[in-house]
């Protein structure tokens, strides 16, 4: 089974960059999800790998074959790339039985005997557990069963890579959950590389061996789901994954000694942030500045190149939300090196009897397994998740602390993660 390598792949229409200089290695047998908000370039990326869209520039390899290279003028057509597809609208042929639907693509290829086709159809039908419905028509199947026929049809020609573009979005929530778990099993039993597009972060988190998170055509992070969750590269990634959403808290302060940062939060509570790994903030800021300078130099160099087209859809630092009881109309000024953003996952905010910061229970939403709390500190609202069936009275006073080493410290200048650590108040 092949690995897929994208090198400096760009797709633009005029000065709109749908995919912006993407480098990506999809390992053999992995299950990669392309995740990001609507319009970020997921489908375009998938279509370029599959050969349904021609990149503006770059190089794509599938296994040891170069399928696209803009400089060498290579562009292998889609039907020679040995890839399978499953799209959101997977329309089955209504006038054909399940058996005929699965066999259809094989008959068209003309390379199989009747007996071979019969063997393949039965084998893939068994994999997706629809072998008992072979003689039914699509209209006689439930949504989930139809979905499985569509998957079987994709598997039948034995593609080495399977591309799926939001294949479960037509199903109801319960069926979707069931199909997710079946897709995971299918990946395990078929030993193929899966590339799966979704804008549902939960789906991406639960299915993937690796998540490729894209925004505005630019790769934000490519890592295992729990790394994306616990160590997001920047505030955009932190905000995009996780439900309930992460809390952002503005913080102002400076380094006391390497590894320790003294901060004011919410807005005047003194706090100390300690990095989990030794990070010297002064050094980090130097690197951040250097990166910004390098980027500007590159931009100026490109501007001199007459063939270069400047990106119309500009990239910007993510405008993170801060939850407040009353919108006080506060506008964030330009950040300096003293400005930070803390990222606090709801499960990191611990509710306790004493110590920490005093807060008021603003709302409490129990589901049985856990309760999502909105806690009010001054004008600020923070979300916390308490596990177990605990009841909270609205308006009551509690205390909050920050648990463990999972608090994130971001730079407000670049929006990038400086490091994770503990926060003491
Ligand atoms: N033929 C085209 N001409 C111009 N712009 C296009 C064309 N096709 C796509 N785009 C733009 O490229 C961007 C990326 O599109 P793409 O379909 O890859 O988004 P997506 O991430 O799959 O979004 P969604 O989650 O909504 O499916 C979009 O802003 C879209 O409007
Ligand atoms: Mg799409």
């Amino acid at each position: 089974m092949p690995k897929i390598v994208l090198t400096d792949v760009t797709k633009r229409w005029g000065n709109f960059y749908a995919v912006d200089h993407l480098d990506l290695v999809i390992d053999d047998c992995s299950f990669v999800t392309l995740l990001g908000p609507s319009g970020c370039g997921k489908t375009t990326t998938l279509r370029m790998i599959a050969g349904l869209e021609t990149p503006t520039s770059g190089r794509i390899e599938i296994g040891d074959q170069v399928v696209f290279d803009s400089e060498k003028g290579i562009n292998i057509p889609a039907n020679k790339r040995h890839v399978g597809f499953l799209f959101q609208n997977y329309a089955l042929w209504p006038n054909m039985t399940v058996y005929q639907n699965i066999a259809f693509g094989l008959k068209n290829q003309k390379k199989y005997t009747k007996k071979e086709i019969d063997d393949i159809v039965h084998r893939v039908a068994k994999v997706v557990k629809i072998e008992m419905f072979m003689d039914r028509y699509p209209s006689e199947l439930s949504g989930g069963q139809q979905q499985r026929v569509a998957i079987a049809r994709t598997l039948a020609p034995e593609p080495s890579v399977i591309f799926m573009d939001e294949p479960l979005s037509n199903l109801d929530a319960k069926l979707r959950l069931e199909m997710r778990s079946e897709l995971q099993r299918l990946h395990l039993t078929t030993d193929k590389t899966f590339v799966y597009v979704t804008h549902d972060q939960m789906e991406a988190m639960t299915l993937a061996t690796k998540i490729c998170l894209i925004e505005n055509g630019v790769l934000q992070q490519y890592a295992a789901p729990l790394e994306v969750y616990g160590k997001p590269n920047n505030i955009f990634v932190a905000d995009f994954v996780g439900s309930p959403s992460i809390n952002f808290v503005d913080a102002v302060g400076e380094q006391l000694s390497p590894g320790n940062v003294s901060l004011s939060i919410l807005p005047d509570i003194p706090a100390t942030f300690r990095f989990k790994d030794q990070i010297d903030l002064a050094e980090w800021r130097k690197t951040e500045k250097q990166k910004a300078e390098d980027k500007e130099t590159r931009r100026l160099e490109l501007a001199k190149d007459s063939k270069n087209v400047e990106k119309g859809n500009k990239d910007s630092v993510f405008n993170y939300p801060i939850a407040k009881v009353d919108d006080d109309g506060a506008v964030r000024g330009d950040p300096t090196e003293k400005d930070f953003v803390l990222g606090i996952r709801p499960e990191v905010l611990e509710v306790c009897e004493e110590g920490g910061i005093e807060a008021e229970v603003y709302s409490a939403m129990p589901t049985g397994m856990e309760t999502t709390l909105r806690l009010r500190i001054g004008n600020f609202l923070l979300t916390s998740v308490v596990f177990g069936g605990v009841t909270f009275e609205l308006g009551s006073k509690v205390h909050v602390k920050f648990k463990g080493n999972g608090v994130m410290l971001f730079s407000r200048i670049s929006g990038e993660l400086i490091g994770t650590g503990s926060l003491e108040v």
Side-chain angles (χ1 to χ4, degrees), residues 49-62:
I49 306 174
L52 300 173
E53 192 80 73
T54 309
T56 309
S57 61
R59 177 184 165 95
I60 302 173
E61 292 152 74
I62 301 181

Side-chain angles (χ1 to χ4, degrees), residues 146-185:
Q146 290 181 30
Q147 189 88 50
R148 281 184 269 184
V149 177
I151 296 174
R153 187 175 61 178
T154 311
L155 289 174
E158 307 211 289
S160 45
V161 188
I162 296 179
F163 293 117
M164 287 175 271
D165 195 346
E166 314 233 4
L168 307 186
S169 51
N170 288 346
L171 305 179
D172 68 40
K174 192 155 172 267
L175 202 51
R176 204 151 65 206
L177 209 64
E178 211 170 284
M179 284 307 296
R180 260 188 222 163
S181 119
E182 289 197 16
L183 278 178
Q184 207 170 40
R185 297 295 312 171

Side-chain angles (χ1 to χ4, degrees), residues 177-284:
L177 209 64
E178 211 170 284
M179 284 307 296
R180 260 188 222 163
S181 119
E182 289 197 16
L183 278 178
Q184 207 170 40
R185 297 295 312 171
L186 187 69
H187 176 243
L188 195 76
T189 47
T190 54
D191 248 9
K192 294 185 191 302
T193 306
F194 280 33
V195 187
Y196 188 102
V197 166
T198 178
H199 62 264
D200 180 337
Q201 55 101 12
M202 199 61 107
E203 197 157 282
M205 288 287 288
T206 48
L207 282 174
T209 51
K210 250 177 153 181
I211 292 181
C212 168
L213 184 43
I214 307 173
E215 156 66 352
N216 201 30
V218 180
L219 178 65
Q220 305 292 319
Q221 189 158 8
Y222 182 46
L226 291 183
E227 182 163 345
V228 173
Y229 185 81
K231 268 180 101 178
N233 278 350
N234 56 46
I235 44 179
F236 170 80
V237 177
D239 185 65
F240 199 81
V241 296
S243 174
S245 295
I246 193 166
N247 297 292
F248 288 117
V249 171
D250 279 325
V252 181
E254 57 197 346
Q255 175 163 274
L256 287 173
S257 60
N260 297 303
V261 188
S262 146
L263 298 169
S264 287
I265 60 171
L266 299 166
D268 298 316
I269 302 169
T272 308
F273 182 86
R274 292 200 174 82
F275 287 108
K276 182 167 160 244
D277 305 312
Q278 266 300 319
I279 291 175
D280 183 348
L281 191 56
E283 285 300 316
W284 194 91

Side-chain angles (χ1 to χ4, degrees), residues 384-416:
S384 165
V385 174
V386 179
F387 293 96
V390 194
T391 347
F392 290 90
E393 200 179 319
L394 298 196
S396 63
K397 293 274 187 275
V398 292
H399 290 253
V400 293
K401 283 182 187 166
F402 306 94
K403 208 166 24 183
N405 268 324
V407 176
M408 304 157 193
L409 187 71
F410 296 97
S411 155
R412 252 194 69 195
I413 297 175
S414 60
E416 279 180 34

